[in-house]
Amino acid sequence: MKYVLMFVETEQFAQDLEAMDEAGREAAFEAVGRWFAEHADKITHHTHLHPVHTATTVRLDGGAEPIVTDGPFIEGKEVVSGFAEIEVADLDEALALARSWPACPIVEIRPAS
Amino acid sequence: MGEQEAHEALARVVREHAGRLAACLMSLLGDFSAAEDLVQDAIETALERWPVEGVPERPDAWLLVVARRRGLDVLRRESTYRAKLARLQWPLPAEPDERLRLVFTCCHPALSRGAQIALTLRVVCGLSTAQIAAAFLVPETTVAQRITRAKKKITEAGIPYRIPAGRELPERLGEVLMVVYLLFNEGYLSSTAERAQARDLVDDAEWLAALLSNLLPKEPEAAGLLALIRLHRARGAARFDAEGRLVLLGGQDRTRWDRRAIEDATALLMRTARTHRRPGPYQLQAAIVACHAEAERFEDTDWHQIVVLYDLLLALVPSPVTRLHRAIALRHARGPEAALAELEQLGGALERYPLLHATRAELLRDLGRHAEAYQADVRALELTANPAQQALLEERLRWE
């Protein structure tokens, strides 16, 4: 089955990352790199999103003209920071992958097609 | 046979066969939702007809035939289903018992607690949607929706039909035992109004715990939960007086306890502890209840031993509710002052918990602080929705 793992950052996580020294940050990135390498046979695609302050939102439901605004579609303390598309047997395998994720503290799993 | 006994006999028969049939259909069809629908149809037909026609000699064969016929009917366009259903023959193979896979699927952590409970009752115990709704005092449509949504999630999110192995097992078993434990609690002392005791759920919980401890002989906590449920039930008759009011442990007529059942459950607990030497929360809770059950009079209770068991339990699972119960034991082991000091530390975490205030009231009364005790009883009464507990507290307020 195909699933998408959505990696979700919290404000606290972003602050912790900010507070790290160069070596700490490098170690954190390396852990993520290792995770992708270890599970390369199951990951079919992945994307890392740039920080939320770079986001632009277009709303098409407002009337005749689409409304363009600065920022994400929903303001919140938790923001999606990346995706990985995986191909595994079932939800238990997807859960095992998500549990071993070494970075941001929330992962949402959705079946996809 | 009275109506109640006939009802219980019917429940027993359905419980014995529904899960097996569901597991068998699931293996054949590979479709949880379709398998479950067929069994539910067969059960509903049985619940309509058996009370009128009598329980058939071979109830499992009867259910199988109805489920198969229904399957051929609704799934007639799918030729592969037809071929698979044709292989469904009586008697179903007794081994391996695939019901364990059913239980783990129903109690998968990706399902909400409410869905886990409703699914387990329906799929494994064979309750109808109407029976579940009646037991939890919710509209039937709510239960039906919850089950439909859960079955959809199982299929669409790819929740597997398997028994977790290795490192996964302890955690997943914990989830299953929690569902059974909640079911038992709901039945034993319902938190909802109108009826103080719902016997059916307690039967189902005990039956599930027995099934799990049979199918998972290497897991002592399953046997621990079974012993816990049996020890509570052995004292069930003394928990209510003739008017249906709750009687607390100290005031219970211990001659009405089922001594034989207490001995059996205690023996099961000892055997489990000796064989595995892996104490866990359910074994420890059962040991605490056994301590109470073994005392012939309230004054004979070994409170020091109970405090020690609570300490062990708290080391495994820290919880403010457990600390409250430990404080109650402490009152008898070391006196009301020690217990009250313990309670005052807990106040914040359990502010909305009626037993905290009811216990505080008793301790304050012990210490002669009657005005404060009265206030604590009033607060406890405000917070409880259980009619038996309410009656007990109201009586205490009248006597002040």
Side-chain angles (χ1 to χ4, degrees):
Chain A
M1 271 187 75
K2 185 192 285 186
Y3 296 89
V4 168
L5 307 186
M6 279 177 264
F7 303 113
V8 182
E9 275 187 10
T10 56
E11 268 180 357
Q12 184 63 47
F13 177 80
Q15 281 168 16
D16 290 350
L17 202 65
E18 196 72 27
M20 276 181 193
D21 58 13
E22 198 54 43
R25 228 184 332 260
E26 215 159 276
F29 285 129
E30 263 173 37
V32 171
R34 265 200 310 279
W35 186 87
F36 277 107
E38 262 170 45
H39 304 295
D41 57 330
K42 296 181 182 118
I43 299 166
T44 47
H45 183 74
H46 67 89
T47 308
H48 180 242
L49 301 180
H50 286 220
V52 73
H53 68 257
T54 63
T56 307
T57 301
V58 182
R59 288 191 187 273
L60 303 159
D61 56 354
E65 281 300 302
I67 301 164
V68 178
T69 51
D70 173 35
F73 80 97
I74 184 164
E75 289 286 354
K77 289 184 196 302
E78 294 166 347
V79 293
V80 175
S81 63
F83 300 92
E85 190 187 285
I86 59 170
E87 185 65 47
V88 290
D90 54 42
L91 184 62
D92 281 3
E93 276 191 32
L95 279 167
L97 269 189
R99 276 165 190 263
S100 66
W101 171 246
C104 61
I106 302 171
V107 181
E108 181 177 321
I109 305 170
R110 280 244 213 129
S113 49
Chain B
M1 208 191 291
E3 200 180 327
Q4 181 66 18
E5 283 95 52
H7 181 73
E8 278 169 22
L10 194 64
R12 259 199 306 280
V13 174
V14 170
R15 208 155 40 208
E16 230 26 81
H17 302 295
R20 283 183 196 278
L21 183 58
C24 199
L25 275 165
M26 175 63 203
S27 309
L28 273 180
L29 301 175
D31 181 335
F32 187 89
S33 191
E36 208 279 319
D37 279 341
L38 297 183
V39 178
Q40 183 66 203
D41 269 347
I43 289 169
E44 278 176 9
T45 313
L47 290 179
E48 270 171 36
R49 290 184 37 193
W50 291 1
V52 185
E53 298 168 10
V55 176
E57 202 173 313
R58 290 184 186 139
D60 52 339
W62 194 100
L63 288 169
L64 183 148
V65 169
V66 174
R68 188 174 51 200
R69 195 186 305 139
R70 179 86 182 136
L72 291 173
D73 208 25
V74 291
L75 307 169
R76 62 180 172 276
R77 281 192 211 95
E78 315 213 13
S79 58
T80 51
Y81 272 3
R82 286 188 70 91
K84 285 171 179 171
L85 278 170
R87 294 212 300 273
L88 185 65
Q89 296 296 338
W90 186 84
L92 298 177
E95 297 288 334
D97 193 329
E98 299 279 22
R99 284 179 291 180
L100 204 49
R101 294 215 267 171
L102 277 186
V103 175
F104 276 108
T105 302
C106 292
C107 299
H108 196 280
L111 299 170
S112 73
R113 188 70 80 198
Q116 292 175 335
I117 290 173
L119 264 186
T120 305
L121 280 173
R122 208 168 99 143
V123 181
V124 189
C125 301
L127 265 72
S128 70
T129 304
Q131 288 173 325
I132 298 170
F136 287 93
L137 295 173
V138 291
E140 207 176 317
T141 48
T142 309
V143 178
Q145 270 171 5
R146 193 175 284 171
I147 284 173
T148 307
R149 217 178 295 138
K151 289 203 298 189
K152 250 181 129 160
K153 169 125 192 213
I154 289 175
T155 307
E156 288 173 11
I159 291 178
Y161 181 61
R162 61 184 266 270
I163 299 164
R167 270 190 324 174
E168 256 182 298
L169 181 62
E171 200 187 314
R172 293 284 307 278
L173 179 62
E175 193 91 5
V176 171
L177 295 179
M178 179 56 86
V179 165
V180 178
Y181 183 66
L182 289 175
L183 211 54
F184 168 72
N185 271 345
E186 179 68 27
Y188 193 63
L189 185 56
S190 168
S191 61
T192 40
E194 270 162 53
R195 95 242 111 119
Q197 229 179 353
R199 295 217 62 99
D200 275 355
L201 289 184
V202 173
D203 282 344
D204 286 306
E206 180 180 341
W207 180 86
L208 275 168
L211 178 74
L212 290 168
S213 94
N214 255 333
L215 295 177
L216 291 164
K218 288 184 185 147
E219 299 300 327
E221 280 292 88
L225 177 57
L226 178 60
L228 176 64
I229 291 174
R230 288 189 173 157
L231 282 163
H232 275 308
R233 293 199 80 178
R235 304 179 309 166
R239 293 179 63 241
F240 294 92
D241 65 14
E243 278 82 50
R245 279 171 309 200
L246 191 67
V247 183
L248 292 181
L249 191 59
Q252 286 177 11
D253 174 3
R254 295 187 178 215
T255 61
R256 294 175 69 199
W257 289 1
D258 185 343
R259 283 283 156 205
R260 179 71 194 278
I262 290 171
E263 275 165 32
D264 287 350
T266 310
L268 167 67
L269 186 63
M270 301 293 278
R271 208 159 55 234
T272 305
R274 263 200 308 273
T275 313
H276 298 280
R277 303 199 174 280
R278 265 159 59 208
Y282 294 111
Q283 292 170 76
L284 287 168
Q285 286 180 74
I288 290 166
V289 181
C291 269
H292 288 296
E294 277 168 352
E296 269 183 42
R297 296 172 309 161
F298 186 71
E299 307 82 74
D300 302 332
T301 312
D302 187 350
W303 293 105
H304 292 278
Q305 176 67 20
I306 290 173
V307 172
V308 170
L309 287 167
Y310 273 122
D311 285 334
L312 292 172
L313 184 56
L314 281 166
L316 286 180
V317 219
S319 131
V321 175
T322 309
R323 280 186 66 190
L324 170 60
H325 286 281
R326 182 184 175 277
I328 295 169
L330 209 57
R331 169 193 181 195
H332 299 285
R334 277 194 242 143
E337 257 165 276
L340 191 62
E342 183 72 19
L343 272 203
E344 303 298 350
Q345 290 180 19
L346 272 174
L350 296 178
E351 170 48 35
R352 301 200 54 78
Y353 195 67
L355 185 62
L356 174 93
H357 300 283
T359 307
R360 242 189 112 238
E362 286 194 23
L363 296 174
L364 289 164
R365 205 167 284 118
D366 282 354
L367 296 167
R369 292 155 65 176
H370 293 283
E372 288 165 273
Y374 186 85
Q375 285 310 313
D377 267 338
V378 169
R379 181 80 183 120
L381 184 60
E382 281 167 8
L383 290 170
T384 183
N386 179 284
Q389 278 186 353
Q390 267 173 356
L392 184 87
L393 290 166
E394 266 164 18
E395 182 173 279
R396 206 148 76 184
L397 290 176
R398 268 202 304 277
W399 283 97
E400 279 305 305

